[in-house]
Amino acid sequence: MKVEKYDSIVVLGGGLNKDYSLPENIVNRMETTIDLWAAEHSENIIVSGGHSFRLTATPRHSEAFVMKGYLEKHNEILTEQHVPVIEKIFIEDKSLDTIGNALYTKQLYKRHIPQKLGKLIIVTSRTQMPRQLEIFQRIMGNDIEVKG
């Protein structure tokens, strides 16, 4: 079976626990990201998330920073078949909401990801997927195909 290829896997944040750990729903997104990486859908991963706009103070770690840390802890699994994943993880940590996720991811993608296919795959929750795909498609425009 042929594997569909993307320029990058984009995993969206969704908050942190009070102890700066990932909530279960975000761990599930990270596991999906690992599965997509292992299946060779993309060589690159963008972790996207600053912090919630609902917070009154900026936390000491962004969602993207913590998500990258999760992937780094799983680096042995990911490197069994590939080059070290650490070199292929890009952090977008300015966003406060989905529109910011899309805007800042587009900037990062245009600057740092080799654009061979013009395709991104979004990893988020099933309930959020339709809305987030629509936002990403509008912001990415016709040049970049977005799937979920």
Side-chain angles (χ1 to χ4, degrees):
M1 185 168 120
K2 187 177 175 184
V3 174
E4 188 165 2
K5 300 284 187 177
Y6 299 90
D7 292 326
S8 187
I9 302 163
V10 180
V11 58
L12 303 180
L16 297 173
N17 293 322
K18 289 182 180 184
D19 65 353
Y20 294 100
S21 64
L22 295 173
E24 184 178 344
N25 64 322
I26 307 304
V27 169
N28 292 339
R29 293 180 194 184
M30 302 312 297
E31 293 298 323
T32 298
T33 300
I34 290 169
D35 292 345
L36 289 167
W37 173 270
E40 300 183 3
H41 285 282
S42 181
E43 294 179 358
N44 304 294
I45 299 171
I46 298 173
V47 289
S48 179
H51 61 83
S52 173
F53 65 89
R54 294 182 186 105
L55 295 177
T56 56
T58 302
R60 65 180 171 192
H61 299 300
S62 69
E63 295 171 18
F65 177 85
V66 177
M67 291 189 296
K68 182 178 182 187
Y70 185 93
L71 293 173
E72 287 172 344
K73 288 179 185 173
H74 292 81
N75 191 42
E76 287 180 24
I77 297 166
L78 296 170
T79 56
E80 287 176 8
Q81 303 166 6
H82 303 286
V83 298
V85 71
I86 304 310
E87 299 168 11
K88 299 290 189 170
I89 301 172
F90 299 88
I91 292 180
E92 179 291 293
D93 61 357
K94 297 177 185 170
S95 59
L96 304 179
D97 56 24
T98 305
I99 293 171
N101 290 127
L103 286 169
Y104 293 119
T105 293
K106 183 176 183 178
Q107 291 173 4
L108 190 150
Y109 171 73
K110 295 260 185 196
R111 275 194 312 255
H112 299 290
I113 306 290
Q115 298 172 40
K116 299 174 186 169
L117 306 170
K119 292 169 57 173
L120 299 174
I121 185 166
I122 306 297
V123 178
T124 188
S125 65
R126 197 170 291 218
T127 57
Q128 295 289 326
M129 185 64 76
R131 180 180 142 285
Q132 292 176 340
L133 270 179
E134 181 180 349
I135 289 169
F136 265 78
Q137 288 166 341
R138 286 181 185 221
I139 289 174
M140 295 297 166
N142 295 331
D143 298 341
I144 304 168
E145 181 182 347
V146 181
K147 292 193 174 183

